Amino acid sequence: MAEDARWRAWAARIAVVVAGVVVAVALMELWDFANTDDPELIESSAISRTAGVACATMRGVVTSEALPTSAPLAQRVGAVKAQNDAVVDMLTRLRSLGPTVLDEDQPAAQWIEDWERLVAARDAYARSLATGKPKPLKLPVVDGRPLVERLNDVGVNCRVPVVLLAP
């Protein structure tokens, strides 16, 4: 009986140590998970706030600059350029946060580059429109995903306005 009690006490000590190790490892993993940057979502409150305000301003400008396809070519080209300028202004406000803030949240720089891709595609469209032989607006696919999907799926309240997609 004494040996049986000793064995149980020893087994209980081992169980407590193993349980302590399991809890410690679980807490370390949880801490690591909580402090890891999600590479697909912008989580920085500074970036999100700045993007929200800058995006609202951009949306207002691009909507006010929208023209019907029946408008004269020169006016339509001017409208596309003014809308692109509004997007560039938004990106300038985001860049004003500085590289340190933007680099801390992994998809922020990529998101800005994607907006620049949209501006480049719209600029190519404006140039073709200015020649009088407009080519359709062609948005790139990046890493197998449509550009608009990448722009809209980063967790920031800044969806691409429809007027930027159908000039």
Side-chain angles (χ1 to χ4, degrees):
M1 274 299 220
E3 191 170 315
D4 191 35
R6 218 180 336 195
W7 181 84
R8 286 184 184 179
W10 196 79
R13 287 183 191 123
I14 289 177
V16 168
V17 169
V18 168
V21 169
V22 168
V23 168
V25 168
L27 288 175
M28 288 186 326
E29 288 297 318
L30 184 61
W31 179 261
D32 192 38
F33 175 75
N35 291 301
T36 300
D37 186 25
D38 185 337
E40 295 183 10
L41 295 176
I42 294 176
E43 301 162 311
S44 164
S45 60
I47 296 171
S48 293
R49 277 193 313 269
T50 303
V53 171
C55 190
T57 302
M58 179 268 298
R59 271 193 302 264
V61 171
V62 300
T63 301
S64 71
E65 292 291 337
L67 292 175
T69 57
S70 60
L73 283 181
Q75 284 182 338
R76 290 175 51 204
V77 170
V80 171
K81 289 182 178 183
Q83 290 170 330
N84 284 352
D85 289 346
V87 175
V88 170
D89 289 346
M90 176 185 76
L91 299 178
T92 300
R93 288 180 71 179
L94 284 165
R95 283 194 191 93
S96 74
L97 293 171
T100 304
V101 172
L102 294 173
D103 290 344
E104 285 177 358
D105 205 340
Q106 192 172 355
Q110 171 189 309
W111 188 61
I112 290 171
E113 288 172 14
D114 285 346
W115 277 104
E116 290 169 340
R117 286 181 179 104
L118 176 62
V119 169
R122 289 175 46 79
D123 189 49
Y125 171 76
R127 285 192 310 272
S128 76
L129 189 62
T131 66
K133 298 178 183 176
K135 296 177 183 172
L137 175 63
K138 186 172 191 298
L139 298 178
V141 173
V142 183
D143 296 333
R145 292 180 63 205
L147 183 64
V148 174
E149 181 181 305
R150 285 171 52 99
L151 286 167
N152 289 339
D153 291 346
V154 294
V156 174
N157 184 19
C158 187
R159 299 186 64 79
V160 178
V162 175
V163 297
L164 292 180
L165 303 176

